[in-house]
């Protein structure tokens, strides 16, 4: 009987050892790849950012990334993403690096339980010459990503998954759009080469650098002053004019070439072309714990030092429809920064505007 138990124990140990051995390279040489849900450097709507005590947040974005002053946030449930992957054709250590043409795949952020977020491949289709994520099918898992074992790939992401051209992966970006992407300008947000290796689990998990917000945010806070009992935003809300025109990248006049790795193809601020305007509807304002009205809108990066940005507020003060107008001069709106305006509405002095200072994130302007 002791011998029987001994042989059974040996057999069980043999099985467990076999199960712990790597599964090896699949017969077809393809490995299932799961992209872990990335985070984002950027402005978080409805939540104040944090910074290290005593640190000065004024300065370029690269300095603030190095000092961990730019808030890093998770993507919201249901957020869509485009992923491109490019197989590296040259061997490791060989320069210059060469890659195959980028291949596009779409994902959606879903909760995997226990507060854990995951990316699930979802369907997309062609509409009017553009590839569009199927909103109705975003909750349906599509075919996972399979890549070649022992090959090196470069990954990039953009979110949300705006309509994109299949031919050159260009897309239209306008004022009012909020989006983030991988960005080669900063070490913390750049795409990196990753070698695909077959794992014992059969799945290769890839963690990417965070994306970074590519637009500037304008935040409006309206406070009740003397003799004001109520402020209600009207339908037109806030109208902002004198900001950057949509990015004119190619001959079609309205596309941003996301597939390019050149920093010159990012959303740049240009002199002139400040004829665009955008509206923050009144319905998008919320009331905070102090009873103030707060609304956010994103705009394209804008160098407005040579022109005036005009802000028109449409509100009902004590039930009376009223319009207020103010202008901003000498402003530069940078991507991944938030510019916060506080207005105190009083019947004696109408609108009192806090003096502007070119600061970011946690400080009011």
């Amino acid at each position: 009987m002791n011998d029987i138990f001994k042989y059974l124990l040996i057999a069980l140990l043999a099985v467990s050892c076999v199960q712990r051995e790597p599964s090896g390279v699949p017969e077809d040489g393809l490995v299932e790849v799961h992209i872990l849900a990335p985070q984002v450097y950027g402005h978080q709507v409805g939540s104040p950012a944090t910074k290290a005590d005593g640190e000065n947040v004024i300065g370029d974005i690269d300095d603030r990334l190095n000092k961990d002053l730019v808030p890093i946030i998770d993507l919201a449930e249901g957020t869509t993403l485009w992923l491109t992957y490019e197989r590296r054709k040259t061997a490791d250590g060989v320069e210059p690096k060469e890659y195959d043409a980028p291949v596009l795949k779409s994902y959606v952020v879903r909760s995997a339980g226990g507060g854990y977020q995951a990316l699930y491949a979802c369907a997309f289709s062609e509409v009017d010459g553009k590839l569009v994520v199927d909103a109705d099918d975003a909750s349906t898992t599509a075919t996972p990503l399979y890549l070649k074992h022992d090959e090196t790939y470069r990954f990039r992401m953009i979110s949300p998954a705006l309509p994109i051209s299949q031919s050159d992966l260009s897309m239209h970006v306008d004022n009012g759009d909020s989006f983030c992407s991988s960005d080669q300008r900063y070490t913390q947000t750049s795409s990196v080469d990753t070698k695909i290796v077959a794992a014992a689990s059969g799945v290769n998990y890839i963690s990417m650098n965070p994306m970074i917000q590519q637009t500037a945010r304008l935040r409006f806070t309206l406070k009740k002053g003397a003799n004001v009992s109520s402020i209600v935003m009207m339908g037109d809300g806030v109208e902002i004019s004198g900001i950057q025109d949509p990015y004119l990248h190619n001959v079609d006049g309205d596309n941003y070439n996301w597939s390019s790795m050149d920093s010159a193809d990012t959303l740049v601020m240009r002199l002139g072309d400040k004829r665009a305007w955008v509206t923050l509807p009144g319905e998008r304002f919320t009331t905070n714990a102090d009873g103030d009205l707060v609304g956010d809108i994103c705009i394209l990066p804008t160098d407005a030092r040579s022109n005036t940005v005009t802000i028109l507020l449409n509100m009902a003060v004590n039930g009376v429809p009223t319009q207020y107008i103010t202008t901003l001069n000498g402003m530069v709106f940078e991507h991944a920064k938030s510019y916060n305006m506080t207005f105190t509405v009083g019947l004696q002095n109408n609108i009192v505007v806090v003096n502007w200072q070119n600061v970011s994130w946690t400080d009011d302007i």
Side-chain angles (χ1 to χ4, degrees), residues 109-173:
V109 177
R110 295 294 180 201
S111 174
Y116 173 74
Q117 287 184 322
L119 294 185
Y120 293 89
C122 60
F124 61 87
S125 57
E126 184 175 350
V127 179
D128 297 329
K130 297 281 188 179
L131 298 179
V132 180
V133 171
D134 297 330
D136 294 339
D137 296 333
S139 60
T140 303
T141 302
T143 304
L145 177 62
Y146 289 92
L147 298 177
K148 293 182 178 180
H149 166 73
D150 205 31
E151 295 279 4
T152 299
Y153 291 81
R154 181 171 65 187
F155 301 92
R156 301 188 74 216
M157 275 189 169
I158 191 168
S159 179
L162 301 174
I164 192 170
S165 169
Q166 187 171 12
S167 60
D168 61 2
L169 302 186
S170 63
M171 59 181 59
H172 177 73
V173 181

Side-chain angles (χ1 to χ4, degrees), residues 211-266:
M211 296 180 284
I212 190 169
Q213 179 64 232
Q214 297 295 323
T215 59
R217 182 182 71 180
L218 302 183
R219 164 166 285 183
F220 300 91
T221 301
L222 282 75
K223 297 178 175 292
K224 290 178 285 189
N227 302 316
V228 173
S229 59
S230 68
I231 303 175
V232 178
M233 296 305 298
M234 299 174 66
D236 290 337
V238 180
E239 301 171 55
I240 305 108
S241 59
I243 52 180
Q244 182 75 49
D245 288 346
Y247 191 61
L248 307 178
H249 174 75
N250 58 12
V251 292
D252 295 331
D254 64 354
N255 288 337
Y256 156 56
N257 185 7
W258 173 56
S259 63
S260 173
M261 301 290 287
D262 191 338
S263 61
D265 288 326
T266 55

Side-chain angles (χ1 to χ4, degrees), residues 296-314:
D296 300 303
I297 192 167
C298 291
I299 64 171
L300 298 177
T302 300
D303 184 344
R305 288 176 293 183
S306 61
N307 67 286
T308 297
V309 176
T310 302
I311 296 178
L312 178 66
L313 298 97
N314 302 279

Side-chain angles (χ1 to χ4, degrees), residues 87-118:
R87 187 186 69 87
R88 184 173 172 179
K89 296 189 290 186
T90 53
D92 291 343
V94 176
E95 300 292 342
K97 298 177 182 179
E98 295 182 359
Y99 300 84
D100 290 334
V103 181
L104 195 67
K105 194 167 183 63
S106 57
Y107 289 88
V108 63
V109 177
R110 295 294 180 201
S111 174
Y116 173 74
Q117 287 184 322

Side-chain angles (χ1 to χ4, degrees), residues 78-91:
T79 301
T80 56
L81 305 94
W82 286 120
L83 169 80
T84 60
Y85 58 93
E86 304 162 88
R87 187 186 69 87
R88 184 173 172 179
K89 296 189 290 186
T90 53

Side-chain angles (χ1 to χ4, degrees), residues 256-299:
Y256 156 56
N257 185 7
W258 173 56
S259 63
S260 173
M261 301 290 287
D262 191 338
S263 61
D265 288 326
T266 55
L267 292 177
V268 297
M269 295 180 287
R270 305 180 310 281
L271 297 177
D273 299 330
K274 305 300 188 302
R275 299 162 295 179
W277 62 277
V278 69
T279 298
L280 171 59
E283 62 188 23
R284 287 176 51 184
F285 276 79
T286 59
T287 304
N288 65 15
D290 296 326
D292 306 325
L293 293 179
V294 180
D296 300 303
I297 192 167
C298 291
I299 64 171

Side-chain angles (χ1 to χ4, degrees), residues 1-11:
M1 184 63 71
N2 288 336
D3 289 340
I4 294 176
F5 280 119
K6 180 171 67 176
Y7 289 130
L8 285 175
L9 179 60
I10 293 173

